[in-house]
Amino acid sequence: MAAERKEKIIRVLQILQTTDKKTPINATQIVDKLENEYVIGKTDRRSIYRDVKMLQYCGYPIVQMQDKKQGWYMDRHPFDDWEIKVMMDAVQQARCVTVEEAKNIRKKLLDLTSDRGRSRFSHMMMPLPHNVEADRRIGEYIEIMLEAIFMHKKIEFQYTEINDKMEKVLRREGKIYKLNLYTIYWADNNYYLIGAHDNHDGLTSYRLDRVENLTMSEEYSIDAKEKIGPNPEKYIQDYIEKSVNHFDGKTMRIEIEYEPNQATNAILYDFVGNDVRVRKQTNGRCRAVFTKMNSVTLIGWFMQYANMFRVVGPEELKNELQEQLKKAINSYQE
């Protein structure tokens, strides 16, 4: 096969890769692109049909439209546009990547869609990114950790804390921590390293943005089943809910009273979802009953919306909130 013929079929493939079901391309349009964009030279339109058949024979998912005059499209884009939008939004909100890194990731995500898909996104007004000038080593550290988990190796790092001058300093005079790393978990715009130390039972976690000088150790890690038990996935999930997400209390039945309106209805629904029973009172107010774990997160939610929702029961939660509210008032009276 002559070099020109090889180039031509590769160009036909590249052209088809820019299509999707909503933007097919026919032989005449392919010829036009070959001659004007790629300067292939005069092309026989009939040869395009042979090229497409060859590419289909080689396994490329090229689909012909029901109306054959419309031509073909490549049915291979790994993500729908709405999936790419969700991923781009997540990247835009991530505080562990810089603005420049977010732009590069966005560009790579757009390469996964068709020309039409890229055009749809380019016509959309993009809000300002929430990324900060994050430590550029975060991405490097994630790569190291992924490799360490894959290679069954421990990781080594130093950990930081914030001193009274609001400066980040190394904890314990720069002690080197060595960890059997089992997973990396994303919560509240931070990554958490979850694993176990050789000389301690149970799991522990570290925030990635406080890690310094992370490397992969030469030592092999202790298998999670050996370290934390026969069902490590469940153990890790329980640890995340109790320690990382702070859902560490007992489940309790909670009854609250509030004035129903668009704001309170939406806030309550966002917090408890569908699993709630509401009944209207004779005074026009509502009482809602739901279950939640007693935790720092629960107390914080009620403190945040203390002017909207009043806890009726249980008594222990009501007393705890009263105590916290008194402390808050006293702190402003000093």
Side-chain angles (χ1 to χ4, degrees):
M1 184 183 288
E4 294 80 5
R5 169 65 178 152
K6 292 178 181 178
E7 181 188 357
K8 174 173 168 284
I9 197 165
I10 290 172
R11 295 302 187 189
V12 170
L13 174 61
Q14 290 175 334
I15 291 168
L16 286 165
Q17 285 174 331
T18 67
T19 63
D20 59 24
K21 191 172 184 178
K22 294 182 179 178
T23 55
I25 192 167
N26 60 33
T28 301
Q29 292 167 323
I30 292 175
V31 167
D32 181 68
K33 283 182 175 289
L34 289 173
E35 293 180 354
N36 295 302
E37 293 184 22
Y38 296 107
V39 197
I40 293 293
K42 190 164 182 63
T43 303
D44 184 355
R45 190 171 68 89
R46 292 171 298 179
S47 70
I48 302 300
Y49 292 90
R50 293 193 296 270
D51 292 339
V52 170
K53 284 184 179 180
M54 175 61 74
L55 291 169
Q56 289 172 325
Y57 175 78
C58 291
Y60 288 96
I62 300 167
V63 180
Q64 188 167 42
M65 297 293 290
Q66 190 170 1
D67 179 359
K68 294 183 179 181
K69 292 180 181 179
Q70 292 181 297
W72 309 269
Y73 68 92
M74 182 79 78
D75 188 24
R76 195 177 181 176
H77 298 294
F79 298 103
D80 291 334
D81 285 350
W82 73 266
E83 294 172 316
I84 291 175
K85 171 70 172 125
V86 169
M87 289 187 285
M88 287 199 305
D89 288 344
V91 169
Q92 186 163 326
Q93 296 291 324
R95 296 177 62 84
C96 65
V97 297
T98 66
V99 173
E100 193 59 34
E101 286 169 339
K103 289 178 181 177
N104 290 336
I105 295 172
R106 181 176 180 270
K107 183 178 181 299
K108 291 177 182 178
L109 288 171
L110 288 176
D111 286 341
L112 298 176
T113 187
S114 62
D115 280 355
R116 182 178 185 275
R118 284 186 285 275
S119 180
R120 292 172 75 187
F121 285 113
S122 68
H123 282 75
M124 182 185 301
M125 293 181 65
M126 295 295 294
L128 293 174
H130 286 192
N131 312 101
V132 296
E133 283 304 314
D135 190 332
R136 289 185 175 274
R137 288 172 295 179
I138 291 289
E140 175 190 340
Y141 286 171
I142 292 173
E143 283 285 350
I144 292 171
M145 289 187 291
L146 290 173
E147 185 68 8
I149 292 172
F150 175 71
M151 297 294 292
H152 305 288
K153 294 292 185 73
K154 297 174 184 176
I155 57 169
E156 297 179 357
F157 57 90
Q158 293 172 299
Y159 204 58
T160 62
E161 58 188 1
I162 307 301
N163 64 16
D164 295 342
K165 297 179 180 179
M166 300 305 291
E167 299 169 332
K168 187 185 285 188
V169 295
L170 292 177
R171 177 185 286 184
R172 298 179 66 179
E173 300 180 343
K175 169 185 167 65
I176 302 295
Y177 291 79
K178 193 173 288 187
L179 186 72
N180 300 288
L181 180 66
Y182 299 133
T183 193
I184 313 165
Y185 180 71
W186 171 267
D188 297 327
N189 257 326
N190 287 300
Y191 273 110
Y192 289 84
L193 289 58
I194 299 175
H197 293 293
D198 288 359
N199 56 345
H200 291 96
D201 294 329
L203 294 171
T204 188
S205 61
Y206 296 91
R207 267 179 50 170
L208 182 55
D209 62 324
R210 295 182 183 172
V211 165
E212 295 285 348
N213 303 316
L214 185 145
T215 60
M216 184 169 65
S217 172
E218 291 298 318
E219 295 182 28
Y220 282 98
S221 60
I222 300 174
D223 187 84
K225 290 182 180 179
E226 179 183 342
K227 188 66 183 174
I228 59 179
N231 192 356
E233 291 84 1
K234 185 179 186 307
Y235 194 98
I236 290 170
Q237 184 60 42
D238 290 343
Y239 175 84
I240 288 171
E241 291 179 356
K242 292 178 180 178
S243 301
V244 179
N245 293 336
H246 304 296
F247 298 151
D248 55 356
K250 64 179 182 180
T251 300
M252 58 171 56
R253 178 184 180 276
I254 302 169
E255 185 172 358
I256 62 172
E257 188 173 282
Y258 62 97
E259 190 75 39
N261 55 54
Q262 284 187 339
T264 54
N265 294 344
I267 290 169
L268 180 60
Y269 182 85
D270 287 344
F271 187 57
V272 301
N274 289 319
D275 192 17
V276 59
R277 290 188 291 108
V278 178
R279 65 181 186 274
K280 201 75 172 282
Q281 304 293 98
T282 55
N283 60 5
R285 294 172 67 81
C286 281
R287 283 205 176 188
V289 178
F290 55 91
T291 58
K292 278 283 183 181
M293 282 188 179
N294 187 14
S295 64
V296 174
T297 304
L298 179 68
I299 299 296
W301 188 86
F302 278 115
M303 292 285 288
Q304 181 180 358
Y305 297 110
N307 64 322
M308 295 183 180
F309 302 98
R310 182 177 71 86
V311 173
V312 178
E315 202 66 27
E316 59 181 294
L317 177 60
K318 186 176 178 180
N319 293 338
E320 173 68 15
L321 284 166
Q322 288 174 342
E323 192 65 31
Q324 293 296 331
L325 288 168
K326 286 176 184 177
K327 289 180 180 178
I329 292 171
N330 290 338
S331 71
Y332 279 96
Q333 292 176 339
E334 292 177 354

Coordinates of all heavy atoms in Angstrom, one line a residue, residues 211-267:
V211 N 0.4 16.4 54.1 CA 1.5 15.5 53.9 C 2.7 16.2 53.2 O 2.5 16.9 52.2 CB 1.1 14.2 53.1 CG1 2.2 13.4 52.6 CG2 0.2 13.4 54.0
E212 N 3.9 15.9 53.6 CA 5.1 16.4 52.9 C 6.0 15.2 52.6 O 6.1 14.2 53.3 CB 5.8 17.4 53.8 CG 5.0 18.7 54.1 CD 5.0 19.6 52.9 OE1 5.8 19.4 52.0 OE2 4.2 20.6 53.0
N213 N 6.8 15.4 51.5 CA 7.9 14.5 51.2 C 7.4 13.0 51.1 O 8.1 12.1 51.7 CB 9.0 14.6 52.1 CG 9.5 16.1 52.2 OD1 9.7 16.7 51.1 ND2 9.8 16.6 53.4
L214 N 6.3 12.7 50.4 CA 5.8 11.4 50.3 C 6.6 10.6 49.3 O 6.8 11.0 48.2 CB 4.3 11.4 50.0 CG 3.6 10.1 50.0 CD1 2.1 10.3 50.5 CD2 3.5 9.5 48.6
T215 N 6.9 9.4 49.7 CA 7.6 8.5 48.8 C 7.1 7.0 48.9 O 6.5 6.7 49.9 CB 9.1 8.4 49.0 OG1 9.4 8.0 50.4 CG2 9.8 9.8 48.8
M216 N 7.4 6.2 48.0 CA 7.0 4.8 48.1 C 8.2 4.0 48.8 O 9.3 4.2 48.4 CB 6.7 4.2 46.7 CG 6.3 2.7 46.8 SD 5.6 2.1 45.2 CE 7.1 2.2 44.2
S217 N 7.9 3.3 49.8 CA 8.9 2.6 50.5 C 9.4 1.3 49.8 O 8.7 0.8 48.9 CB 8.4 2.1 51.9 OG 9.3 1.3 52.6
E218 N 10.5 0.8 50.1 CA 11.0 -0.5 49.6 C 10.3 -1.6 50.3 O 10.4 -2.8 49.8 CB 12.5 -0.6 49.7 CG 13.3 0.4 48.8 CD 13.0 0.2 47.3 OE1 13.0 -1.0 46.9 OE2 12.9 1.2 46.6
E219 N 9.7 -1.4 51.4 CA 9.1 -2.5 52.2 C 7.8 -2.8 51.6 O 7.0 -1.9 51.3 CB 9.0 -2.1 53.7 CG 10.3 -1.8 54.4 CD 10.0 -1.5 55.9 OE1 9.0 -1.9 56.4 OE2 10.8 -0.8 56.5
Y220 N 7.5 -4.1 51.7 CA 6.1 -4.6 51.2 C 5.1 -4.3 52.4 O 5.5 -4.4 53.5 CB 6.1 -6.1 50.9 CG 6.7 -6.3 49.5 CD1 8.1 -6.7 49.4 CD2 6.0 -6.2 48.4 CE1 8.6 -7.0 48.1 CE2 6.5 -6.4 47.1 CZ 7.8 -6.8 47.0 OH 8.3 -7.0 45.8
S221 N 3.9 -3.9 52.0 CA 2.9 -3.6 53.0 C 2.3 -4.9 53.5 O 2.3 -5.9 52.9 CB 1.8 -2.7 52.4 OG 1.2 -3.4 51.3
I222 N 1.7 -4.8 54.7 CA 0.9 -5.9 55.3 C -0.4 -5.9 54.7 O -1.1 -4.9 54.6 CB 0.8 -5.7 56.8 CG1 2.2 -5.6 57.4 CG2 0.0 -6.8 57.4 CD1 2.2 -5.3 58.9
D223 N -0.9 -7.1 54.2 CA -2.2 -7.2 53.6 C -3.3 -6.8 54.5 O -3.2 -7.0 55.7 CB -2.4 -8.7 53.1 CG -3.6 -8.8 52.3 OD1 -3.6 -8.6 51.1 OD2 -4.7 -9.2 52.9
A224 N -4.3 -6.1 53.9 CA -5.4 -5.6 54.8 C -6.1 -6.7 55.5 O -6.5 -6.5 56.7 CB -6.4 -4.8 53.9
K225 N -6.3 -7.8 54.9 CA -7.0 -8.9 55.6 C -6.2 -9.4 56.8 O -6.7 -9.7 57.9 CB -7.2 -10.1 54.7 CG -8.2 -9.8 53.6 CD -8.4 -11.1 52.7 CE -9.5 -10.8 51.6 NZ -9.7 -11.9 50.7
E226 N -4.8 -9.4 56.7 CA -4.0 -9.8 57.8 C -4.0 -8.7 58.9 O -4.0 -9.0 60.1 CB -2.6 -10.0 57.3 CG -1.6 -10.4 58.4 CD -0.2 -10.6 57.9 OE1 0.0 -10.7 56.7 OE2 0.7 -10.6 58.7
K227 N -4.1 -7.4 58.5 CA -4.0 -6.3 59.5 C -5.3 -6.0 60.2 O -5.3 -5.8 61.4 CB -3.4 -5.1 58.8 CG -3.1 -4.0 59.7 CD -1.9 -4.3 60.6 CE -1.6 -3.2 61.6 NZ -0.6 -3.5 62.5
I228 N -6.4 -6.0 59.4 CA -7.7 -5.5 60.0 C -8.8 -6.5 60.0 O -9.9 -6.2 60.4 CB -8.1 -4.2 59.4 CG1 -8.3 -4.3 57.9 CG2 -7.1 -3.1 59.7 CD1 -8.8 -3.1 57.2
G229 N -8.6 -7.7 59.4 CA -9.6 -8.7 59.4 C -10.0 -9.2 58.1 O -9.6 -8.8 57.0
P230 N -10.9 -10.2 58.1 CA -11.3 -11.0 56.9 C -12.2 -10.2 55.9 O -12.3 -10.6 54.7 CB -12.1 -12.2 57.4 CG -12.6 -11.8 58.7 CD -11.6 -10.8 59.3
N231 N -12.8 -9.1 56.3 CA -13.6 -8.3 55.5 C -13.2 -6.8 55.5 O -13.9 -6.0 56.0 CB -15.1 -8.4 55.9 CG -16.1 -7.8 54.9 OD1 -15.6 -7.3 53.8 ND2 -17.4 -8.0 55.1
P232 N -12.0 -6.6 54.9 CA -11.4 -5.2 55.0 C -12.2 -4.1 54.4 O -12.2 -3.0 54.8 CB -10.1 -5.4 54.3 CG -10.2 -6.5 53.4 CD -11.1 -7.5 54.1
E233 N -13.0 -4.4 53.3 CA -13.8 -3.4 52.6 C -14.8 -2.8 53.5 O -15.0 -1.6 53.6 CB -14.4 -4.0 51.3 CG -13.5 -4.3 50.2 CD -12.9 -5.7 50.4 OE1 -13.2 -6.4 51.3 OE2 -12.0 -6.1 49.5
K234 N -15.5 -3.7 54.3 CA -16.6 -3.3 55.2 C -15.9 -2.5 56.4 O -16.4 -1.5 56.8 CB -17.4 -4.4 55.7 CG -18.5 -4.0 56.6 CD -19.4 -5.2 57.1 CE -20.6 -4.7 57.8 NZ -20.3 -3.8 58.9
Y235 N -14.8 -3.0 56.9 CA -14.1 -2.4 58.0 C -13.7 -1.0 57.6 O -13.8 0.0 58.4 CB -12.9 -3.2 58.4 CG -12.3 -2.9 59.7 CD1 -12.6 -3.6 60.8 CD2 -11.4 -1.8 59.8 CE1 -12.0 -3.3 62.1 CE2 -10.8 -1.5 61.0 CZ -11.1 -2.2 62.1 OH -10.6 -1.9 63.3
I236 N -13.1 -0.8 56.4 CA -12.7 0.5 55.9 C -13.9 1.4 55.8 O -13.9 2.6 56.1 CB -11.9 0.4 54.6 CG1 -10.5 -0.3 54.9 CG2 -11.7 1.7 53.9 CD1 -9.8 -0.7 53.7
Q237 N -15.0 0.9 55.2 CA -16.2 1.7 55.0 C -16.7 2.2 56.4 O -17.1 3.4 56.5 CB -17.3 0.9 54.3 CG -18.5 1.7 54.0 CD -18.2 2.9 53.1 OE1 -17.5 2.8 52.1 NE2 -18.8 4.1 53.4
D238 N -16.8 1.3 57.4 CA -17.2 1.7 58.7 C -16.3 2.8 59.3 O -16.8 3.7 59.9 CB -17.3 0.5 59.6 CG -18.4 -0.5 59.3 OD1 -19.3 -0.1 58.5 OD2 -18.3 -1.7 59.7
Y239 N -15.0 2.6 59.1 CA -14.0 3.6 59.6 C -14.3 4.9 58.9 O -14.2 6.0 59.6 CB -12.6 3.1 59.3 CG -11.6 4.1 59.7 CD1 -11.1 4.1 61.0 CD2 -11.0 5.0 58.8 CE1 -10.2 5.1 61.4 CE2 -10.1 5.9 59.1 CZ -9.7 6.0 60.5 OH -8.7 6.9 60.8
I240 N -14.5 5.0 57.6 CA -14.7 6.2 56.9 C -16.0 6.9 57.5 O -15.9 8.1 57.8 CB -14.9 6.0 55.4 CG1 -13.6 5.6 54.8 CG2 -15.5 7.2 54.7 CD1 -13.6 5.1 53.4
E241 N -17.0 6.2 57.7 CA -18.3 6.8 58.2 C -18.1 7.3 59.6 O -18.7 8.3 60.0 CB -19.4 5.7 58.2 CG -19.8 5.4 56.7 CD -20.9 4.4 56.7 OE1 -21.3 3.9 57.7 OE2 -21.4 4.1 55.5
K242 N -17.3 6.6 60.4 CA -17.2 7.0 61.8 C -16.1 8.0 62.1 O -16.3 8.9 62.9 CB -16.9 5.7 62.7 CG -18.0 4.7 62.8 CD -17.7 3.5 63.6 CE -18.8 2.5 63.6 NZ -18.5 1.3 64.4
S243 N -15.0 7.9 61.3 CA -13.9 8.7 61.6 C -13.6 9.9 60.6 O -13.3 11.0 61.0 CB -12.6 7.9 61.7 OG -12.7 6.9 62.7
V244 N -13.8 9.6 59.3 CA -13.6 10.6 58.3 C -14.8 11.5 58.2 O -14.7 12.7 58.2 CB -13.2 10.0 57.0 CG1 -13.0 11.1 55.9 CG2 -11.9 9.2 57.1
N245 N -16.0 10.9 58.1 CA -17.2 11.6 58.0 C -17.8 12.0 59.3 O -18.9 12.6 59.4 CB -18.2 10.8 57.2 CG -17.8 10.7 55.7 OD1 -17.0 11.4 55.2 ND2 -18.3 9.6 55.1
H246 N -17.2 11.5 60.4 CA -17.6 11.9 61.8 C -19.0 11.4 62.1 O -19.7 12.0 63.0 CB -17.6 13.4 62.0 CG -16.2 14.0 61.7 ND1 -15.1 13.7 62.4 CD2 -15.8 14.9 60.7 CE1 -14.1 14.3 62.0 NE2 -14.5 15.0 60.9
F247 N -19.5 10.3 61.5 CA -20.7 9.7 61.9 C -20.4 8.6 62.9 O -20.5 7.5 62.6 CB -21.5 9.1 60.7 CG -21.8 10.1 59.6 CD1 -21.9 9.8 58.3 CD2 -22.1 11.5 60.0 CE1 -22.2 10.7 57.3 CE2 -22.4 12.4 59.0 CZ -22.5 12.0 57.7
D248 N -20.1 9.1 64.1 CA -19.5 8.1 65.1 C -20.4 7.9 66.3 O -20.0 7.3 67.3 CB -18.1 8.6 65.6 CG -18.2 10.0 66.2 OD1 -19.3 10.6 66.1 OD2 -17.2 10.5 66.7
G249 N -21.6 8.3 66.3 CA -22.5 8.1 67.4 C -23.6 7.0 67.1 O -23.6 6.4 66.1
K250 N -24.4 6.8 68.1 CA -25.5 5.9 68.0 C -26.6 6.5 67.2 O -26.9 7.7 67.2 CB -26.0 5.4 69.3 CG -26.6 6.5 70.2 CD -27.1 5.9 71.5 CE -27.8 7.0 72.3 NZ -28.2 6.5 73.6
T251 N -27.4 5.7 66.5 CA -28.6 6.1 65.8 C -29.7 6.5 66.7 O -29.9 5.8 67.7 CB -29.1 5.1 64.8 OG1 -28.0 4.8 63.9 CG2 -30.3 5.6 64.0
M252 N -30.3 7.7 66.5 CA -31.4 8.1 67.4 C -32.6 8.6 66.6 O -32.4 9.0 65.5 CB -30.9 9.2 68.4 CG -30.3 10.4 67.7 SD -30.0 11.8 68.9 CE -28.9 11.0 70.1
R253 N -33.7 8.4 67.2 CA -35.0 8.9 66.7 C -35.1 10.4 67.1 O -35.1 10.7 68.3 CB -36.2 8.1 67.2 CG -37.5 8.6 66.7 CD -38.6 7.7 67.3 NE -39.9 8.1 66.9 CZ -40.6 9.1 67.4 NH1 -40.1 9.9 68.4 NH2 -41.9 9.4 67.0
I254 N -35.2 11.3 66.1 CA -35.2 12.7 66.4 C -36.6 13.3 66.0 O -37.1 13.0 64.9 CB -34.1 13.4 65.6 CG1 -32.7 12.8 66.1 CG2 -34.1 14.9 65.9 CD1 -31.6 13.3 65.2
E255 N -37.1 14.2 66.9 CA -38.3 14.9 66.5 C -38.1 16.4 66.6 O -37.5 16.9 67.6 CB -39.4 14.5 67.5 CG -40.8 15.1 67.2 CD -41.9 14.6 68.0 OE1 -41.7 13.7 68.8 OE2 -43.1 15.1 67.8
I256 N -38.4 17.1 65.6 CA -38.2 18.6 65.6 C -39.5 19.3 65.2 O -40.4 18.7 64.7 CB -37.1 18.9 64.6 CG1 -37.5 18.6 63.1 CG2 -35.8 18.3 64.9 CD1 -36.6 19.1 62.1
E257 N -39.5 20.6 65.5 CA -40.6 21.4 65.2 C -40.1 22.6 64.4 O -39.0 23.2 64.8 CB -41.4 21.9 66.5 CG -42.7 22.6 66.2 CD -43.4 22.9 67.4 OE1 -44.1 22.0 68.0 OE2 -43.4 24.1 67.9
Y258 N -40.8 23.1 63.4 CA -40.4 24.2 62.6 C -41.5 24.8 61.9 O -42.6 24.3 61.8 CB -39.3 23.7 61.6 CG -39.9 22.7 60.6 CD1 -40.3 23.1 59.3 CD2 -39.9 21.4 60.9 CE1 -40.8 22.2 58.4 CE2 -40.4 20.4 60.0 CZ -40.9 20.8 58.8 OH -41.4 19.9 57.9
E259 N -41.3 26.1 61.4 CA -42.3 26.8 60.6 C -42.1 26.4 59.1 O -41.0 26.7 58.6 CB -42.0 28.3 60.8 CG -43.1 29.2 60.2 CD -44.4 29.2 61.0 OE1 -44.3 29.2 62.2 OE2 -45.5 29.2 60.4
P260 N -43.1 25.8 58.5 CA -42.9 25.3 57.1 C -42.9 26.5 56.2 O -43.8 27.3 56.2 CB -44.1 24.4 56.9 CG -45.1 24.9 57.8 CD -44.4 25.4 59.0
N261 N -41.9 26.5 55.3 CA -41.8 27.4 54.2 C -40.9 26.9 53.2 O -40.3 25.8 53.4 CB -41.5 28.9 54.6 CG -40.2 28.9 55.4 OD1 -39.1 28.4 54.9 ND2 -40.2 29.4 56.6
Q262 N -40.7 27.6 52.1 CA -39.8 27.1 51.0 C -38.4 26.8 51.5 O -37.8 25.8 51.2 CB -39.7 28.0 49.8 CG -41.0 28.0 49.0 CD -40.8 28.9 47.7 OE1 -40.0 29.8 47.7 NE2 -41.6 28.6 46.7
A263 N -37.9 27.7 52.4 CA -36.5 27.6 52.8 C -36.3 26.4 53.8 O -35.5 25.5 53.6 CB -36.0 28.9 53.5
T264 N -37.2 26.3 54.8 CA -37.0 25.3 55.8 C -37.4 23.9 55.2 O -36.7 22.9 55.6 CB -38.0 25.5 57.0 OG1 -39.3 25.7 56.6 CG2 -37.5 26.7 57.8
N265 N -38.3 23.9 54.3 CA -38.7 22.6 53.7 C -37.5 22.1 52.9 O -37.1 20.9 52.9 CB -39.9 22.7 52.8 CG -41.2 23.1 53.5 OD1 -41.2 22.9 54.7 ND2 -42.2 23.5 52.8
A266 N -36.8 22.9 52.1 CA -35.7 22.5 51.3 C -34.5 22.1 52.2 O -33.8 21.1 51.9 CB -35.3 23.7 50.4
I267 N -34.2 22.9 53.2 CA -33.1 22.6 54.1 C -33.3 21.3 54.8 O -32.3 20.5 54.9 CB -32.9 23.7 55.1 CG1 -32.4 25.0 54.4 CG2 -31.9 23.3 56.2 CD1 -32.5 26.3 55.3

